[in-house]
């Protein structure tokens, strides 16, 4: 496991959109700048979605424009439909993400339509992106469990992943949205999906509700997966899953990787500083164990 792991920082989008306290465009730009300054090479900056549905993402165009001078960093944005795609292009997005669910019930609760209809909605987005030379990342949520349907069979995830891959997504991020997965199930899922989408084009997006995220990531890395989504400070949650905590914390992932001898190029001190600022803005301490430990250490000096 000595080779590199690609970390996609999702705090400014997937993290903040699930936090009750919205923060300003200027503060979101400063957060992205701080994360890039800490050494992150892929930072999801916003979402071109309905302001009524997700008010936390209002101003994503301004955030993207505010950080677009960082040409050596991937700056993906979430796009749910053609209208969102057009807005993303007006703001200069070069990398977008679309999302689907492996659970029919979750899809209906989250975006008011079933899986098949959600795919129909973003088919024209993928077609236009291909014509425009815009890269597309695919998200699949509820891959290891659903708040409505319980356990999700790997085949349900495989079916959606195959469609996204065939439509042209360059990478497919597998999301344990409610954080119920365990290492064995994570391993079995990756094996199943890798039978149809190359392992090199899969990413792990694990939430830490039951404290299993790092163990699940380690199991996935043993299977050969080399891309991880994480959020500074463990930001986020899931509004449709009571008790679901945020994404696995970037600090905790970096600490584990560095301990395994896998260099990340990330400055932990700067990363924790970025986390502390955004945690102050949303009014709660970081969920990250590493940030909490380093903050306690700093206070004790």
């Amino acid at each position: 496991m000595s080779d590199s792991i690609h970390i996609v920082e999702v705090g400014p989008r997937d993290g903040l959109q699930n936090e009750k306290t919205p923060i300003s465009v200027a503060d979101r730009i400063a957060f992205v700048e701080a994360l890039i300054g800490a050494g992150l090479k892929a930072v999801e900056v916003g979402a071109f979605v309905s302001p009524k549905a997700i008010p936390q993402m209002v101003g994503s165009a301004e955030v993207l424009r505010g950080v677009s001078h960082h040409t050596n960093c991937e700056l993906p944005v979430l796009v749910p439909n053609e209208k969102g795609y057009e807005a993303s292009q007006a703001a200069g997005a070069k990398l977008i993400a679309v999302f689907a669910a492996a659970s029919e019930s979750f899809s209906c609760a989250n975006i008011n339509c079933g899986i098949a209809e959600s795919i129909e909605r973003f088919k024209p987005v993928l077609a236009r992106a291909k014509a425009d030379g815009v890269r597309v990342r695919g998200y699949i949520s509820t891959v290891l469990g659903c708040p409505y349907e319980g356990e999700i069979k790997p085949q349900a995830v495989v079916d959606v992943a195959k469609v996204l891959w065939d439509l042209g997504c360059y990478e497919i991020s597998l999301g344990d949205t409610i954080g119920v997965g365990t290492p064995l199930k994570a391993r079995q899922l990756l094996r199943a999906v890798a039978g149809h989408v190359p392992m090199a084009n899969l990413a792990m997006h694990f939430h830490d509700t039951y404290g299993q995220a790092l163990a699940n990531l380690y199991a996935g890395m043993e299977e050969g997966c080399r891309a991880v989504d994480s959020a500074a400070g463990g930001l986020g949650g899931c509004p449709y899953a009571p008790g679901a905590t945020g994404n696995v914390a970037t600090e905790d992932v970096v600490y584990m990787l560095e301990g395994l001898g896998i260099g990340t190029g990330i400055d932990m001190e700067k990363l924790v500083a970025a986390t502390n600022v955004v945690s102050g803005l949303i009014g709660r301490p970081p969920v990250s164990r590493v940030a909490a430990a380093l903050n306690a250490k700093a206070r004790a000096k």
Side-chain angles (χ1 to χ4, degrees):
M1 266 203 243
S2 59
D3 53 347
S4 64
I5 299 290
H6 182 58
I7 296 175
V8 179
E9 169 61 53
V10 299
R13 195 282 298 177
D14 190 44
L16 291 180
Q17 80 169 29
N18 284 309
E19 296 289 347
K20 290 187 179 73
T21 308
I23 67 173
S24 70
V25 165
D27 285 333
R28 280 151 60 198
I29 289 172
F31 183 34
V32 175
E33 290 280 3
L35 292 166
I36 294 171
L40 284 148
K41 298 296 184 188
V43 181
E44 192 178 40
V45 299
F48 289 82
V49 291
S50 161
K52 286 182 182 175
I54 307 179
Q56 296 93 328
M57 289 293 103
V58 169
S60 286
E62 289 89 337
V63 176
L64 179 59
R65 289 192 188 103
V67 298
S68 59
H69 58 282
H70 290 285
T71 53
N72 61 341
C73 182
E74 292 179 343
L75 301 168
V77 293
L78 193 72
V79 170
N81 50 33
E82 277 197 278
K83 184 180 177 184
Y85 178 74
E86 286 162 7
S88 77
Q89 294 313 287
K94 296 180 176 67
L95 177 54
I96 65 167
V98 296
F99 60 92
S103 153
E104 200 71 38
S105 303
F106 188 86
S107 183
C108 291
N110 192 27
I111 53 175
N112 300 312
C113 70
I115 297 169
E117 189 183 335
S118 73
I119 290 167
E120 288 304 316
R121 279 186 193 176
F122 59 65
K123 271 184 181 175
V125 171
L126 280 145
R128 290 178 66 172
K130 187 175 183 181
D132 295 339
V134 173
R135 297 166 73 216
V136 185
R137 193 173 196 246
Y139 279 111
I140 308 176
S141 58
T142 60
V143 298
L144 289 168
C146 167
Y148 310 107
E149 297 178 21
E151 190 171 342
I152 297 294
K153 295 284 187 282
Q155 188 57 47
V157 184
V158 168
D159 292 343
V160 179
K162 277 166 66 179
V163 172
L164 291 174
W165 179 248
D166 291 344
L167 285 172
C169 289
Y170 74 91
E171 184 170 75
I172 294 163
S173 174
L174 303 172
D176 182 12
T177 313
I178 58 172
V180 293
T182 53
L184 179 61
K185 287 178 179 172
R187 194 186 293 277
Q188 290 169 338
L189 174 70
L190 279 162
R191 283 182 187 171
V193 179
H196 303 271
V197 177
M199 188 69 83
N201 299 93
L202 295 177
M204 299 177 284
H205 183 114
F206 296 154
H207 287 227
D208 203 31
T209 311
Y210 288 84
Q212 300 293 296
L214 285 176
N216 294 345
L217 289 176
Y218 188 85
M221 286 162 55
E222 285 189 320
E223 287 299 313
C225 193
R226 288 291 174 266
V228 172
D229 294 358
S230 61
L235 287 169
C238 175
Y240 305 100
T245 55
N247 295 278
V248 65
T250 306
E251 296 90 338
D252 298 358
V253 172
V254 169
Y255 186 85
M256 180 178 77
L257 293 176
E258 297 280 355
L260 289 168
I262 300 171
T264 62
I266 293 169
D267 183 315
M268 183 68 84
E269 193 175 322
K270 289 180 179 178
L271 176 58
V272 172
T275 287
N276 288 340
V277 170
V278 80
S279 295
L281 292 170
I282 62 172
R284 68 170 178 83
V287 177
S288 161
R289 296 291 183 86
V290 170
L294 292 179
N295 286 335
K297 195 175 177 183
R299 285 193 298 271
K301 282 183 178 177

Coordinates of all heavy atoms in Angstrom, one line a residue, residues 233-295:
G233 N -12.8 18.2 9.2 CA -13.6 18.3 10.5 C -14.7 17.3 10.6 O -15.5 17.3 11.5
G234 N -14.9 16.4 9.5 CA -16.1 15.5 9.6 C -17.4 16.2 9.3 O -18.4 15.8 9.9
L235 N -17.3 17.3 8.6 CA -18.6 18.1 8.3 C -19.6 17.2 7.6 O -19.4 16.3 6.9 CB -18.2 19.2 7.3 CG -17.4 20.4 7.9 CD1 -17.0 21.3 6.7 CD2 -18.2 21.2 8.9
G236 N -20.9 17.6 7.8 CA -22.0 17.0 7.1 C -22.9 16.1 7.9 O -23.0 16.2 9.1
G237 N -23.6 15.3 7.2 CA -24.6 14.4 7.7 C -25.6 14.0 6.6 O -25.2 14.0 5.5
C238 N -26.8 13.6 7.0 CA -27.8 13.3 6.0 C -29.1 13.6 6.6 O -29.5 13.0 7.6 CB -27.7 11.8 5.6 SG -29.0 11.3 4.5
P239 N -29.9 14.6 5.9 CA -31.1 15.0 6.5 C -32.2 13.9 6.5 O -33.2 14.0 7.2 CB -31.5 16.2 5.6 CG -30.8 15.9 4.3 CD -29.5 15.3 4.7
Y240 N -32.0 12.9 5.7 CA -33.0 11.8 5.7 C -32.7 10.6 6.5 O -33.4 9.6 6.5 CB -33.2 11.4 4.2 CG -33.5 12.5 3.3 CD1 -32.5 13.1 2.5 CD2 -34.8 13.1 3.3 CE1 -32.8 14.2 1.7 CE2 -35.1 14.1 2.5 CZ -34.1 14.7 1.7 OH -34.4 15.8 0.9
A241 N -31.6 10.7 7.3 CA -31.2 9.6 8.1 C -30.9 10.1 9.5 O -29.8 10.6 9.8 CB -29.9 8.9 7.5
P242 N -31.8 10.0 10.4 CA -31.6 10.4 11.8 C -30.4 9.8 12.4 O -30.2 8.6 12.4 CB -32.9 10.0 12.5 CG -33.9 9.8 11.4 CD -33.2 9.4 10.2
G243 N -29.6 10.7 13.0 CA -28.4 10.2 13.7 C -27.2 10.1 12.8 O -26.1 9.8 13.3
A244 N -27.3 10.2 11.5 CA -26.2 10.0 10.5 C -25.2 11.2 10.7 O -25.6 12.3 10.7 CB -26.7 10.0 9.1
T245 N -24.0 10.8 11.0 CA -23.0 11.9 11.2 C -22.4 12.2 9.8 O -22.8 11.7 8.8 CB -21.9 11.4 12.1 OG1 -21.3 10.2 11.6 CG2 -22.4 11.2 13.5
G246 N -21.4 13.1 9.8 CA -20.8 13.5 8.6 C -19.9 12.6 7.9 O -19.7 11.4 8.3
N247 N -19.2 13.1 6.9 CA -18.2 12.3 6.1 C -17.1 11.9 7.1 O -16.8 12.6 8.1 CB -17.7 13.1 5.0 CG -18.7 13.4 3.9 OD1 -19.0 12.6 3.1 ND2 -19.3 14.6 4.0
V248 N -16.3 10.9 6.7 CA -15.1 10.6 7.4 C -14.2 11.9 7.3 O -14.2 12.6 6.3 CB -14.4 9.4 6.8 CG1 -13.9 9.7 5.4 CG2 -13.2 9.0 7.7
A249 N -13.6 12.2 8.5 CA -12.8 13.5 8.6 C -11.5 13.4 7.8 O -10.8 12.4 7.9 CB -12.6 13.8 10.0
T250 N -11.2 14.4 7.0 CA -10.0 14.5 6.2 C -8.8 14.3 7.1 O -7.8 13.6 6.8 CB -9.9 15.8 5.4 OG1 -11.1 15.9 4.6 CG2 -8.7 15.8 4.5
E251 N -8.8 15.0 8.3 CA -7.6 14.9 9.2 C -7.4 13.4 9.6 O -6.2 13.0 9.7 CB -7.9 15.7 10.5 CG -8.0 17.2 10.2 CD -9.4 17.6 10.0 OE1 -10.3 16.8 9.6 OE2 -9.7 18.8 10.2
D252 N -8.5 12.7 9.9 CA -8.3 11.3 10.4 C -7.8 10.4 9.2 O -7.0 9.5 9.5 CB -9.7 10.8 10.9 CG -10.2 11.6 12.1 OD1 -9.5 12.5 12.5 OD2 -11.3 11.3 12.5
V253 N -8.3 10.7 8.0 CA -7.8 10.0 6.8 C -6.3 10.2 6.6 O -5.5 9.3 6.4 CB -8.6 10.3 5.6 CG1 -8.0 9.7 4.3 CG2 -10.0 9.9 5.7
V254 N -5.9 11.5 6.7 CA -4.5 11.9 6.4 C -3.6 11.2 7.5 O -2.5 10.7 7.2 CB -4.3 13.4 6.4 CG1 -2.9 13.8 6.5 CG2 -5.0 14.0 5.2
Y255 N -4.0 11.3 8.8 CA -3.3 10.7 9.9 C -3.1 9.2 9.6 O -1.9 8.7 9.8 CB -4.0 10.9 11.2 CG -3.2 10.5 12.4 CD1 -2.3 11.3 13.0 CD2 -3.4 9.3 13.0 CE1 -1.6 11.0 14.1 CE2 -2.7 8.8 14.1 CZ -1.8 9.7 14.7 OH -1.1 9.3 15.8
M256 N -4.1 8.5 9.2 CA -4.0 7.1 8.9 C -3.1 6.8 7.8 O -2.2 5.9 7.9 CB -5.4 6.5 8.6 CG -5.3 5.0 8.3 SD -6.9 4.2 8.0 CE -7.2 4.7 6.3
L257 N -3.2 7.5 6.7 CA -2.4 7.3 5.5 C -0.9 7.6 5.8 O -0.1 6.8 5.4 CB -2.9 8.2 4.4 CG -4.3 7.9 3.8 CD1 -4.6 8.9 2.7 CD2 -4.3 6.5 3.2
E258 N -0.7 8.7 6.5 CA 0.7 9.0 6.8 C 1.3 7.9 7.7 O 2.5 7.5 7.6 CB 0.8 10.4 7.4 CG 0.4 11.6 6.6 CD 1.4 12.0 5.6 OE1 2.6 11.5 5.6 OE2 1.1 12.9 4.7
G259 N 0.5 7.4 8.6 CA 1.0 6.3 9.5 C 1.3 5.0 8.8 O 2.0 4.2 9.2
L260 N 0.6 4.9 7.6 CA 0.9 3.7 6.7 C 2.1 3.9 5.8 O 2.4 3.0 5.0 CB -0.4 3.4 5.9 CG -1.6 2.9 6.7 CD1 -2.8 2.9 5.8 CD2 -1.3 1.4 7.1
G261 N 2.7 5.1 5.9 CA 3.8 5.4 5.0 C 3.3 5.9 3.6 O 4.1 5.9 2.7
I262 N 2.1 6.3 3.5 CA 1.5 6.8 2.2 C 1.5 8.4 2.3 O 0.8 8.9 3.1 CB 0.1 6.3 2.0 CG1 0.1 4.8 1.9 CG2 -0.5 6.9 0.7 CD1 -1.3 4.2 1.9
G263 N 2.4 9.0 1.6 CA 2.5 10.5 1.6 C 1.3 11.1 1.0 O 0.8 10.7 0.0
T264 N 0.8 12.2 1.7 CA -0.4 12.9 1.1 C -0.1 14.3 0.6 O -0.9 14.8 -0.1 CB -1.5 13.0 2.2 OG1 -0.9 13.8 3.3 CG2 -1.9 11.6 2.8
G265 N 1.1 14.8 1.1 CA 1.4 16.2 0.7 C 0.6 17.2 1.4 O 0.5 18.4 1.0
I266 N -0.2 16.8 2.5 CA -1.1 17.7 3.2 C -0.4 18.1 4.5 O 0.1 17.3 5.2 CB -2.4 17.0 3.4 CG1 -3.1 16.8 2.0 CG2 -3.3 17.8 4.3 CD1 -4.3 15.9 2.1
D267 N -0.5 19.4 4.7 CA 0.1 20.0 6.0 C -1.0 19.9 7.0 O -2.0 20.6 7.0 CB 0.4 21.4 5.7 CG 1.1 22.1 6.9 OD1 0.6 22.0 8.0 OD2 2.1 22.8 6.7
M268 N -0.8 19.0 8.0 CA -1.9 18.8 9.0 C -2.2 20.0 9.8 O -3.4 20.3 10.2 CB -1.5 17.7 10.0 CG -2.5 17.3 11.0 SD -4.0 16.5 10.3 CE -3.4 14.8 10.2
E269 N -1.2 20.8 10.2 CA -1.4 22.0 11.0 C -2.3 23.0 10.2 O -3.3 23.6 10.8 CB -0.1 22.7 11.3 CG -0.1 23.8 12.3 CD 1.2 24.3 12.7 OE1 2.2 23.5 12.8 OE2 1.3 25.5 12.9
K270 N -2.1 23.2 8.9 CA -2.9 24.1 8.1 C -4.3 23.5 7.9 O -5.3 24.3 7.9 CB -2.3 24.3 6.8 CG -1.0 25.2 6.8 CD -0.4 25.4 5.5 CE 0.8 26.3 5.5 NZ 1.5 26.4 4.2
L271 N -4.4 22.2 7.8 CA -5.7 21.6 7.6 C -6.6 21.7 8.9 O -7.8 22.1 8.8 CB -5.5 20.1 7.3 CG -6.8 19.2 7.2 CD1 -7.7 19.7 6.1 CD2 -6.4 17.8 6.9
V272 N -6.0 21.5 10.0 CA -6.7 21.7 11.3 C -7.1 23.2 11.5 O -8.2 23.5 12.0 CB -5.9 21.1 12.5 CG1 -6.6 21.5 13.8 CG2 -5.7 19.6 12.4
A273 N -6.2 24.1 11.1 CA -6.6 25.5 11.2 C -7.8 25.8 10.3 O -8.7 26.6 10.8 CB -5.4 26.3 10.7
A274 N -7.8 25.3 9.1 CA -9.0 25.5 8.2 C -10.3 24.9 8.9 O -11.3 25.6 8.9 CB -8.8 24.9 6.9
T275 N -10.1 23.7 9.5 CA -11.3 23.1 10.1 C -11.7 23.9 11.3 O -12.9 24.1 11.5 CB -10.8 21.7 10.6 OG1 -10.7 20.8 9.5 CG2 -11.8 21.1 11.6
N276 N -10.8 24.5 12.1 CA -11.2 25.2 13.3 C -11.9 26.5 12.9 O -12.9 26.9 13.6 CB -9.9 25.6 14.1 CG -9.4 24.4 14.8 OD1 -10.0 23.4 15.0 ND2 -8.1 24.5 15.2
V277 N -11.6 27.1 11.8 CA -12.3 28.4 11.4 C -13.7 28.0 11.0 O -14.6 28.7 11.4 CB -11.5 29.0 10.2 CG1 -12.4 30.2 9.6 CG2 -10.2 29.6 10.7
V278 N -13.9 27.0 10.1 CA -15.2 26.7 9.6 C -16.1 26.1 10.8 O -17.3 26.4 10.8 CB -15.2 25.7 8.4 CG1 -14.9 24.3 8.8 CG2 -16.4 25.8 7.6
S279 N -15.5 25.4 11.7 CA -16.2 24.9 12.9 C -16.7 26.1 13.7 O -17.9 26.0 14.2 CB -15.3 24.0 13.7 OG -15.0 22.8 13.0
G280 N -15.9 27.1 13.9 CA -16.4 28.3 14.6 C -17.6 29.0 13.9 O -18.5 29.4 14.5
L281 N -17.5 29.0 12.6 CA -18.6 29.6 11.8 C -19.9 28.8 11.9 O -21.0 29.5 11.9 CB -18.2 29.7 10.3 CG -17.1 30.7 10.0 CD1 -16.6 30.5 8.6 CD2 -17.5 32.1 10.2
I282 N -19.8 27.5 12.0 CA -21.1 26.8 12.1 C -21.5 26.5 13.5 O -22.6 26.0 13.8 CB -21.0 25.4 11.3 CG1 -20.0 24.5 11.8 CG2 -20.8 25.7 9.8 CD1 -20.0 23.1 11.2
G283 N -20.6 26.9 14.4 CA -21.0 26.8 15.9 C -20.9 25.5 16.5 O -21.7 25.2 17.5
R284 N -20.0 24.6 16.0 CA -19.8 23.3 16.7 C -18.4 22.8 16.5 O -17.8 23.1 15.5 CB -20.8 22.3 16.3 CG -20.7 21.8 14.9 CD -21.6 20.6 14.7 NE -21.6 20.0 13.3 CZ -20.6 19.2 12.9 NH1 -19.6 18.8 13.6 NH2 -20.7 18.7 11.6
P285 N -17.9 22.1 17.5 CA -16.5 21.6 17.4 C -16.4 20.6 16.3 O -17.3 19.9 15.9 CB -16.2 21.0 18.8 CG -17.6 20.6 19.3 CD -18.5 21.7 18.8
P286 N -15.2 20.4 15.8 CA -15.0 19.4 14.7 C -15.2 18.0 15.2 O -15.0 17.7 16.4 CB -13.5 19.5 14.3 CG -12.9 20.5 15.2 CD -13.9 21.1 16.1
V287 N -15.8 17.1 14.4 CA -16.0 15.7 14.7 C -14.8 14.9 14.6 O -14.6 13.9 15.3 CB -17.1 15.1 13.8 CG1 -17.4 13.7 14.1 CG2 -18.4 15.9 14.0
S288 N -13.8 15.4 13.9 CA -12.5 14.7 13.7 C -11.8 14.5 15.0 O -11.6 15.3 15.8 CB -11.6 15.6 12.8 OG -10.3 15.2 12.9
R289 N -11.4 13.2 15.2 CA -10.7 12.8 16.4 C -9.3 13.5 16.4 O -8.8 13.9 17.4 CB -10.5 11.3 16.4 CG -11.8 10.5 16.6 CD -12.5 10.7 17.9 NE -13.7 9.9 18.1 CZ -13.7 8.7 18.5 NH1 -12.6 8.0 18.8 NH2 -14.9 8.1 18.7
V290 N -8.7 13.5 15.2 CA -7.3 14.1 15.1 C -7.4 15.6 15.4 O -6.5 16.1 16.2 CB -6.7 13.8 13.7 CG1 -5.4 14.6 13.5 CG2 -6.4 12.3 13.5
A291 N -8.3 16.3 14.8 CA -8.4 17.7 15.1 C -8.7 18.0 16.6 O -8.1 18.8 17.2 CB -9.6 18.3 14.3
A292 N -9.5 17.2 17.2 CA -9.8 17.3 18.6 C -8.6 17.1 19.4 O -8.3 17.8 20.4 CB -10.9 16.4 19.0
A293 N -7.8 16.0 19.1 CA -6.6 15.7 19.8 C -5.5 16.8 19.7 O -4.9 17.2 20.7 CB -6.0 14.4 19.4
L294 N -5.4 17.3 18.4 CA -4.3 18.3 18.2 C -4.7 19.7 18.8 O -3.9 20.4 19.3 CB -4.1 18.5 16.7 CG -3.4 17.3 16.1 CD1 -3.2 17.5 14.6 CD2 -2.1 17.0 16.7
N295 N -6.1 20.0 18.8 CA -6.5 21.2 19.5 C -6.3 21.1 21.0 O -5.9 22.1 21.6 CB -8.0 21.4 19.2 CG -8.2 21.9 17.7 OD1 -7.4 22.5 17.1 ND2 -9.4 21.7 17.2

